[in-house]
Amino acid sequence: MPFDIGLVLGGLVALLVGGEALVRGAVIIARWIGLSPLVIGLTLVGFGTSTPELMTSLIAAFDGLPGIALGNVIGSNIANILLILGLSAVIAPVAAGAFFGRDGWVMLAATGLCVVLMLSGVIGLVGGLICVVGLAVYLLVTLRAGAADPLDLSPAVAPAWQGALFFVAGLVGIVLGAGWLVDGASAIARSFAVSDAVIGLTIVAVGTSLPELATSVIAARRGQGAMAVGNVIGSNIFNILGILGITVLFTPLAVPDEMLGLSLWVFVGAAIAPLILMRLFGRLGRLSGGLLVLAYAAYTVTLVIGAL
């Protein structure tokens, strides 16, 4: 057991450090190439911060652990809104009007698509193609909408070779960390006779969402609530259309029965909760944030107790 816990902790650290190095290297390279800040944010940084989730789901799927692979995606989206957005609102009020904008509706549509695919019982190649094509269309529309965004011609803060070194080292760290996290989490699940789905929805999901947690909390403390909201919405879109889509292109995922009950309803409820709270209070204040965090705590406790 101590070894398995060490694998989980080591995997989380490797994912955090590797993800940071990957994004830093990607941004350095992009600035040398002269890409616009919008392109850097949507592609390199967006995909970079989602790489821990992607590698974790891929490795879990190839290891025959669909509960961890799918639970990572579903659990991360739940945690992004109830826990991360909730904590951000507790720290400082957040104007979550972005949930009523284009990106917010895309997130809701992606959530609905994911529910339909889950109810089919097995998410396979067709579902993966729909997700990936949907992500490509979303990125294309977003990039065209920001086509006037100027190129980033400012001097790079580091040489290109250093960016490449950061990128490669980060990728290696993420691959190793994802493997350790999946191995340790699945071993712990077996030790406690807990399903892989519950582990994926809790430990793995929160662990791979740590970069988003750090980003949103720091943004909220600096009074940049819009960045915190954008980070959550963008991450949820990437999780479904990108991570789930790419994963099932390689191998189909059978949906565990545990995810078709409480977790499915919480997954949907979390996606629409900010809309309801915005209608009621006009923004996400400390009260709304506290309600979201309490909802996440109640969900997690119910999930764990039901699994024991």
Side-chain angles (χ1 to χ4, degrees):
M1 179 63 70
F3 177 74
D4 298 325
I5 295 175
L7 275 180
V8 170
L9 295 177
L12 292 176
V13 171
L15 286 174
L16 280 173
V17 175
E20 172 65 24
L22 182 75
V23 171
R24 181 179 298 184
V27 171
I28 292 174
I29 294 172
R31 291 184 64 187
W32 273 99
I33 296 174
L35 297 178
S36 73
L38 177 64
V39 174
I40 294 174
L42 280 174
T43 56
L44 297 176
V45 176
F47 280 113
T49 55
S50 294
T51 304
E53 286 100 327
L54 174 60
M55 293 308 303
T56 300
S57 288
L58 277 174
I59 291 176
F62 283 127
D63 286 349
L65 300 169
I68 290 181
L70 185 56
N72 178 39
V73 172
I74 304 304
S76 290
N77 277 28
I78 293 173
N80 281 345
I81 295 178
L82 298 186
L83 178 62
I84 296 175
L85 186 60
L87 284 176
S88 300
V90 168
I91 294 171
V94 173
F99 278 93
F100 292 97
R102 180 194 63 211
D103 297 332
W105 293 117
V106 170
M107 188 197 77
L108 286 176
T111 301
L113 171 63
C114 186
V115 170
V116 171
L117 293 176
M118 289 174 64
L119 291 176
S120 70
V122 178
I123 307 176
L125 179 61
V126 174
L129 288 174
I130 294 173
C131 289
V132 172
V133 170
L135 179 61
V137 172
Y138 166 69
L139 289 176
L140 179 61
V141 171
T142 304
L143 291 174
R144 290 188 63 182
D149 199 45
L151 296 179
D152 187 356
L153 301 177
S154 57
V157 295
W161 66 265
Q162 193 174 94
L165 184 62
F166 271 121
F167 187 88
V168 173
L171 187 59
V172 171
I174 287 172
V175 172
L176 289 176
W180 295 340
L181 178 60
V182 170
D183 290 343
S186 59
I188 292 174
R190 290 192 297 270
S191 298
F192 286 99
V194 175
S195 71
D196 294 329
V198 173
I199 294 295
L201 287 164
T202 54
I203 297 176
V204 175
V206 174
T208 56
S209 293
L210 288 178
E212 287 87 351
L213 174 61
T215 300
S216 292
V217 168
I218 291 172
R221 290 185 61 185
R222 294 178 178 175
Q224 299 173 331
M227 181 179 294
V229 174
N231 179 47
V232 166
I233 293 176
S235 177
N236 281 16
I237 293 173
F238 274 116
N239 282 347
I240 296 173
L241 300 184
I243 295 170
L244 179 61
I246 293 173
T247 299
V248 297
L249 286 181
F250 288 94
T251 178
L253 288 179
V255 181
D257 293 336
E258 298 98 317
M259 290 189 189
L260 297 177
L262 173 65
S263 295
L264 183 64
W265 289 107
V266 174
F267 175 58
V268 175
I272 63 177
L275 300 176
I276 297 174
L277 292 173
M278 280 289 294
R279 288 297 187 189
L280 291 176
F281 304 110
R283 65 175 182 173
L284 295 182
R286 289 183 171 87
L287 175 60
S288 299
L291 290 175
L292 292 176
V293 174
L294 285 176
Y296 185 74
Y299 161 67
T300 303
V301 170
T302 301
L303 203 63
V304 173
I305 291 178
L308 296 178

